[in-house]
Amino acid sequence: MSKAGFVVATIVLAAAPASAHVTLETRQAAVGSYYKAVFAVPHGCAGSATTRIRVQIPEGVIGVKPMPKPGWSVEAIKGKYANQYDFHGSKLSEGVKEVVWSGGKLADEHYDEFVVATFLTEGLKPNSMLYFPVVQECEQGVSRWIDIPREGEGHGSKSPAPGVKLMPKP
């Protein structure tokens, strides 16, 4: 490779993480089953370290248990569901609506994962996408990964919410 080609390749590779966004590691899951949502955070906000991650839990996702992270505090914010759900013989009308990790510091040049164990209720629509909007707060700035495309449209947004494709119950 020529010196000029190497410089171009280095610039392209160095710029790539800046366009990356928070994603889900597993991008398919069956309705009526447990789902471990692993949110991959590949960078900070325009060079600034991440200090807080907020994940909105969509309707129909219950039994939410966030995984603690060393050096971070975790909070499960509860609220009322729009519907009532059967879960292990109990009727649930409220539960975790948002999970917040804070107090840590994830440098822009590092990668980390934030994990939530969940249950995807049978009332969710198979062969559709389910989105988990995420707000990434940094020492300087905020990245809002909250854009959800309309049904049938692609995800052309610069700030897409992480999504999982719902599959039929096996």
Short mmCIF file of all heavy atoms in Angstrom, two decimals, residues 19-24 27 39 128-134 144-165:
data_model
loop_
_atom_site.label_atom_id
_atom_site.label_comp_id
_atom_site.label_asym_id
_atom_site.label_seq_id
_atom_site.Cartn_x
_atom_site.Cartn_y
_atom_site.Cartn_z
N SER A 19 -19.44 7.84 13.56
CA SER A 19 -20.75 7.65 12.96
C SER A 19 -21.49 6.48 13.57
O SER A 19 -22.65 6.26 13.27
CB SER A 19 -20.60 7.45 11.44
OG SER A 19 -19.91 6.24 11.19
N ALA A 20 -20.82 5.70 14.41
CA ALA A 20 -21.46 4.55 15.05
C ALA A 20 -22.47 5.03 16.08
O ALA A 20 -22.42 6.16 16.54
CB ALA A 20 -20.40 3.68 15.70
N HIS A 21 -23.39 4.16 16.42
CA HIS A 21 -24.43 4.52 17.39
C HIS A 21 -24.66 3.36 18.35
O HIS A 21 -24.14 2.27 18.15
CB HIS A 21 -25.71 4.93 16.67
CG HIS A 21 -26.17 3.93 15.65
ND1 HIS A 21 -25.67 3.90 14.37
CD2 HIS A 21 -27.06 2.92 15.72
CE1 HIS A 21 -26.24 2.91 13.70
NE2 HIS A 21 -27.08 2.29 14.49
N VAL A 22 -25.42 3.61 19.40
CA VAL A 22 -25.74 2.55 20.35
C VAL A 22 -26.60 1.51 19.63
O VAL A 22 -27.58 1.85 18.96
CB VAL A 22 -26.47 3.11 21.59
CG1 VAL A 22 -26.91 1.99 22.51
CG2 VAL A 22 -25.57 4.10 22.33
N THR A 23 -26.22 0.24 19.76
CA THR A 23 -26.94 -0.85 19.10
C THR A 23 -27.22 -1.98 20.08
O THR A 23 -26.65 -2.02 21.16
CB THR A 23 -26.12 -1.42 17.93
OG1 THR A 23 -24.86 -1.89 18.43
CG2 THR A 23 -25.88 -0.39 16.83
N LEU A 24 -28.10 -2.87 19.66
CA LEU A 24 -28.35 -4.09 20.42
C LEU A 24 -27.51 -5.21 19.83
O LEU A 24 -27.44 -5.37 18.61
CB LEU A 24 -29.83 -4.47 20.35
CG LEU A 24 -30.74 -3.65 21.25
CD1 LEU A 24 -32.20 -3.82 20.85
CD2 LEU A 24 -30.54 -4.03 22.71
N ARG A 27 -30.14 -9.02 17.59
CA ARG A 27 -31.11 -8.20 16.86
C ARG A 27 -32.38 -8.93 16.46
O ARG A 27 -33.19 -8.40 15.71
CB ARG A 27 -30.42 -7.60 15.65
CG ARG A 27 -29.27 -6.70 16.12
CD ARG A 27 -28.69 -5.90 15.05
NE ARG A 27 -27.54 -5.16 15.59
CZ ARG A 27 -26.79 -4.40 14.88
NH1 ARG A 27 -27.01 -4.26 13.61
NH2 ARG A 27 -25.78 -3.77 15.43
N PHE A 39 -26.84 -3.53 25.23
CA PHE A 39 -26.68 -2.27 24.52
C PHE A 39 -25.18 -1.98 24.39
O PHE A 39 -24.49 -1.79 25.38
CB PHE A 39 -27.38 -1.14 25.26
CG PHE A 39 -28.87 -1.32 25.32
CD1 PHE A 39 -29.45 -2.00 26.38
CD2 PHE A 39 -29.68 -0.84 24.31
CE1 PHE A 39 -30.82 -2.20 26.42
CE2 PHE A 39 -31.05 -1.04 24.35
CZ PHE A 39 -31.62 -1.72 25.41
N SER A 128 -42.16 -7.64 13.37
CA SER A 128 -42.07 -6.19 13.44
C SER A 128 -40.83 -5.83 14.25
O SER A 128 -40.19 -6.71 14.83
CB SER A 128 -43.32 -5.59 14.09
OG SER A 128 -43.39 -5.94 15.47
N MET A 129 -40.50 -4.57 14.29
CA MET A 129 -39.35 -4.10 15.06
C MET A 129 -39.84 -3.51 16.38
O MET A 129 -40.89 -2.86 16.43
CB MET A 129 -38.57 -3.04 14.29
CG MET A 129 -37.86 -3.56 13.05
SD MET A 129 -36.53 -4.73 13.40
CE MET A 129 -35.35 -3.69 14.25
N LEU A 130 -39.06 -3.72 17.43
CA LEU A 130 -39.32 -3.15 18.75
C LEU A 130 -38.10 -2.29 19.08
O LEU A 130 -36.97 -2.78 19.04
CB LEU A 130 -39.50 -4.25 19.78
CG LEU A 130 -39.77 -3.81 21.21
CD1 LEU A 130 -41.16 -3.16 21.32
CD2 LEU A 130 -39.67 -4.99 22.16
N TYR A 131 -38.34 -1.03 19.42
CA TYR A 131 -37.24 -0.09 19.65
C TYR A 131 -37.11 0.30 21.11
O TYR A 131 -38.10 0.47 21.81
CB TYR A 131 -37.44 1.16 18.79
CG TYR A 131 -37.31 0.85 17.32
CD1 TYR A 131 -38.45 0.61 16.54
CD2 TYR A 131 -36.08 0.77 16.71
CE1 TYR A 131 -38.34 0.31 15.19
CE2 TYR A 131 -35.95 0.46 15.35
CZ TYR A 131 -37.09 0.24 14.61
OH TYR A 131 -36.98 -0.06 13.28
N PHE A 132 -35.86 0.45 21.54
CA PHE A 132 -35.50 0.88 22.89
C PHE A 132 -34.76 2.22 22.78
O PHE A 132 -33.54 2.22 22.60
CB PHE A 132 -34.56 -0.14 23.55
CG PHE A 132 -35.16 -1.47 23.86
CD1 PHE A 132 -35.35 -2.43 22.86
CD2 PHE A 132 -35.52 -1.80 25.16
CE1 PHE A 132 -35.88 -3.68 23.16
CE2 PHE A 132 -36.05 -3.05 25.46
CZ PHE A 132 -36.24 -3.99 24.46
N PRO A 133 -35.45 3.35 22.86
CA PRO A 133 -34.74 4.64 22.78
C PRO A 133 -33.71 4.78 23.90
O PRO A 133 -33.95 4.39 25.05
CB PRO A 133 -35.87 5.66 22.94
CG PRO A 133 -37.10 4.93 22.47
CD PRO A 133 -36.90 3.52 22.94
N VAL A 134 -32.53 5.31 23.54
CA VAL A 134 -31.42 5.47 24.48
C VAL A 134 -30.93 6.91 24.43
O VAL A 134 -30.75 7.48 23.36
CB VAL A 134 -30.25 4.52 24.11
CG1 VAL A 134 -29.04 4.77 25.00
CG2 VAL A 134 -30.69 3.06 24.20
N ARG A 144 -28.74 11.48 21.51
CA ARG A 144 -30.08 10.91 21.69
C ARG A 144 -30.33 9.90 20.58
O ARG A 144 -30.59 10.28 19.44
CB ARG A 144 -31.14 12.01 21.68
CG ARG A 144 -31.06 12.90 22.90
CD ARG A 144 -32.07 14.06 22.83
NE ARG A 144 -32.09 14.81 24.07
CZ ARG A 144 -31.22 15.75 24.39
NH1 ARG A 144 -30.26 16.06 23.55
NH2 ARG A 144 -31.30 16.39 25.54
N TRP A 145 -30.26 8.61 20.93
CA TRP A 145 -30.50 7.52 19.98
C TRP A 145 -31.97 7.14 20.12
O TRP A 145 -32.30 6.12 20.71
CB TRP A 145 -29.55 6.36 20.28
CG TRP A 145 -28.13 6.81 20.38
CD1 TRP A 145 -27.38 6.92 21.51
CD2 TRP A 145 -27.28 7.25 19.31
NE1 TRP A 145 -26.12 7.39 21.20
CE2 TRP A 145 -26.05 7.61 19.86
CE3 TRP A 145 -27.47 7.40 17.93
CZ2 TRP A 145 -24.99 8.08 19.09
CZ3 TRP A 145 -26.42 7.86 17.16
CH2 TRP A 145 -25.20 8.19 17.74
N ILE A 146 -32.86 8.02 19.61
CA ILE A 146 -34.28 7.90 19.91
C ILE A 146 -35.19 7.85 18.68
O ILE A 146 -36.39 7.68 18.81
CB ILE A 146 -34.75 9.07 20.81
CG1 ILE A 146 -34.50 10.41 20.14
CG2 ILE A 146 -34.02 9.01 22.16
CD1 ILE A 146 -35.07 11.61 20.88
N ASP A 147 -34.62 7.98 17.51
CA ASP A 147 -35.45 8.03 16.29
C ASP A 147 -35.98 6.64 15.94
O ASP A 147 -35.21 5.69 15.79
CB ASP A 147 -34.66 8.59 15.11
CG ASP A 147 -34.33 10.07 15.29
OD1 ASP A 147 -34.90 10.71 16.20
OD2 ASP A 147 -33.49 10.57 14.53
N ILE A 148 -37.29 6.56 15.79
CA ILE A 148 -37.97 5.31 15.43
C ILE A 148 -38.63 5.52 14.08
O ILE A 148 -39.45 6.43 13.93
CB ILE A 148 -39.02 4.94 16.50
CG1 ILE A 148 -38.31 4.71 17.85
CG2 ILE A 148 -39.82 3.71 16.07
CD1 ILE A 148 -39.25 4.52 19.02
N PRO A 149 -38.28 4.70 13.08
CA PRO A 149 -38.88 4.89 11.75
C PRO A 149 -40.35 4.49 11.74
O PRO A 149 -40.80 3.68 12.55
CB PRO A 149 -38.06 3.95 10.85
CG PRO A 149 -37.56 2.90 11.77
CD PRO A 149 -37.37 3.57 13.11
N ARG A 150 -41.08 5.08 10.81
CA ARG A 150 -42.48 4.67 10.63
C ARG A 150 -42.50 3.26 10.07
O ARG A 150 -41.57 2.83 9.40
CB ARG A 150 -43.18 5.62 9.65
CG ARG A 150 -43.34 6.99 10.23
CD ARG A 150 -44.12 7.88 9.28
NE ARG A 150 -43.89 9.25 9.70
CZ ARG A 150 -43.77 10.27 8.90
NH1 ARG A 150 -43.89 10.11 7.60
NH2 ARG A 150 -43.57 11.47 9.39
N GLU A 151 -43.59 2.55 10.35
CA GLU A 151 -43.75 1.16 9.88
C GLU A 151 -43.51 1.09 8.38
O GLU A 151 -44.04 1.87 7.60
CB GLU A 151 -45.17 0.68 10.20
CG GLU A 151 -45.38 -0.76 9.82
CD GLU A 151 -45.65 -1.66 11.00
OE1 GLU A 151 -45.85 -1.15 12.11
OE2 GLU A 151 -45.64 -2.87 10.79
N GLY A 152 -42.65 0.15 7.97
CA GLY A 152 -42.36 -0.07 6.57
C GLY A 152 -41.25 0.79 6.00
O GLY A 152 -40.82 0.59 4.88
N GLU A 153 -40.77 1.78 6.77
CA GLU A 153 -39.69 2.64 6.29
C GLU A 153 -38.36 2.14 6.81
O GLU A 153 -38.29 1.53 7.88
CB GLU A 153 -39.90 4.08 6.77
CG GLU A 153 -41.03 4.80 6.08
CD GLU A 153 -41.13 6.26 6.51
OE1 GLU A 153 -40.26 6.74 7.25
OE2 GLU A 153 -42.10 6.91 6.10
N GLY A 154 -37.31 2.41 6.08
CA GLY A 154 -35.97 2.06 6.54
C GLY A 154 -35.52 3.01 7.63
O GLY A 154 -36.22 3.95 7.99
N HIS A 155 -34.33 2.77 8.14
CA HIS A 155 -33.80 3.59 9.23
C HIS A 155 -32.71 4.49 8.67
O HIS A 155 -31.53 4.21 8.80
CB HIS A 155 -33.25 2.71 10.34
CG HIS A 155 -33.58 3.20 11.71
ND1 HIS A 155 -33.57 4.52 12.06
CD2 HIS A 155 -33.95 2.53 12.81
CE1 HIS A 155 -33.91 4.64 13.33
NE2 HIS A 155 -34.15 3.44 13.80
N GLY A 156 -33.09 5.60 8.04
CA GLY A 156 -32.13 6.52 7.45
C GLY A 156 -31.68 7.60 8.41
O GLY A 156 -30.95 8.50 8.03
N SER A 157 -32.06 7.52 9.67
CA SER A 157 -31.76 8.54 10.66
C SER A 157 -30.29 8.52 11.08
O SER A 157 -29.64 7.49 11.06
CB SER A 157 -32.64 8.31 11.89
OG SER A 157 -32.20 9.11 12.96
N LYS A 158 -29.80 9.68 11.51
CA LYS A 158 -28.46 9.76 12.07
C LYS A 158 -28.48 9.44 13.56
O LYS A 158 -27.44 9.30 14.18
CB LYS A 158 -27.89 11.16 11.85
CG LYS A 158 -27.58 11.46 10.40
CD LYS A 158 -26.94 12.82 10.24
CE LYS A 158 -26.65 13.07 8.77
NZ LYS A 158 -26.06 14.38 8.55
N SER A 159 -29.69 9.34 14.16
CA SER A 159 -29.83 9.05 15.60
C SER A 159 -30.83 7.92 15.83
O SER A 159 -31.81 8.09 16.57
CB SER A 159 -30.29 10.32 16.32
OG SER A 159 -29.39 11.37 16.13
N PRO A 160 -30.61 6.74 15.23
CA PRO A 160 -31.59 5.66 15.34
C PRO A 160 -31.64 5.04 16.73
O PRO A 160 -30.62 4.87 17.39
CB PRO A 160 -31.09 4.63 14.32
CG PRO A 160 -29.61 4.85 14.29
CD PRO A 160 -29.43 6.34 14.46
N ALA A 161 -32.86 4.70 17.17
CA ALA A 161 -33.02 3.95 18.41
C ALA A 161 -32.61 2.51 18.14
O ALA A 161 -32.89 1.96 17.07
CB ALA A 161 -34.47 4.01 18.88
N PRO A 162 -31.95 1.85 19.11
CA PRO A 162 -31.62 0.43 18.94
C PRO A 162 -32.90 -0.39 18.82
O PRO A 162 -33.87 -0.14 19.54
CB PRO A 162 -30.86 0.07 20.22
CG PRO A 162 -30.45 1.37 20.84
CD PRO A 162 -31.45 2.38 20.38
N GLY A 163 -32.91 -1.36 17.92
CA GLY A 163 -34.10 -2.16 17.70
C GLY A 163 -33.81 -3.64 17.61
O GLY A 163 -32.72 -4.06 17.27
N VAL A 164 -34.86 -4.42 17.92
CA VAL A 164 -34.81 -5.88 17.82
C VAL A 164 -35.99 -6.32 16.96
O VAL A 164 -37.10 -5.81 17.12
CB VAL A 164 -34.84 -6.55 19.22
CG1 VAL A 164 -36.07 -6.17 20.02
CG2 VAL A 164 -34.70 -8.05 19.10
N LYS A 165 -35.73 -7.24 16.03
CA LYS A 165 -36.82 -7.78 15.21
C LYS A 165 -37.52 -8.87 16.01
O LYS A 165 -36.89 -9.82 16.47
CB LYS A 165 -36.31 -8.34 13.89
CG LYS A 165 -37.45 -8.85 13.04
CD LYS A 165 -37.07 -9.19 11.64
CE LYS A 165 -38.34 -9.58 10.91
NZ LYS A 165 -38.13 -9.87 9.54
#
